[in-house]
Amino acid sequence: MDGALFCGECGAGLVQGGDILRTLDRPVPEVVDSEAPTRPLDYRLGFGIKADRIIFVIPSTGRRMKLDLGREVSIGRVDSRQGIWPEVDLTVDEGVDSGVSRRHALVRNSDEGVVIVDLGSTNGTRVNDKKLPPERPHPLNNGDTVRFGQLLVQVYFAA
């Protein structure tokens, strides 16, 4: 489809280079941080380099979230009765139907760079189609695809 950033079937990125936040040309629901970046995303950032911010793009809904990586970022689904409030709530992205656990994963900076940790989720976490073992940090690279259960998310870093 003209103007698409991701393949509608597999979620593969269709944009080479450029600033993903500025190429998204359709309205996006519930943007957590709509502030435009002060500089373009650096597509050379990769494992071993700490990032200041992480950007999650959900191709199925077009939603994007930009979060500060100065702390751990939790990913999952909100459950107010159990007091679970992840920074990245995937409920609105059909997280329940896609098999996203309430406490699914964490992303954080480490001495080795940005890592993701599956928290023993019911339906697992995959990075670029590789299933992650629970409770073990796995490197994230700029532009990686991550599946929380069956929900596809693209990950980008901003310095």
Side-chain angles (χ1 to χ4, degrees), residues 8 17 23 40 42 51 71 82 87 89-90 116 130 133 140 156:
T23 60
D42 186 347
R71 55 177 168 54
Q82 293 185 25
E87 283 88 3
D89 177 22
L90 297 174
I116 186 168
K130 178 183 177 188
L140 271 181
Y156 299 94

Side-chain angles (χ1 to χ4, degrees), residues 43-63:
Y43 282 79
R44 294 167 300 168
L45 287 175
F47 185 61
I49 299 174
K50 294 183 182 182
D52 296 330
R53 296 185 185 133
I54 190 164
I55 300 161
F56 295 97
V57 178
I58 296 95
S60 61
T61 62
R63 187 164 73 111

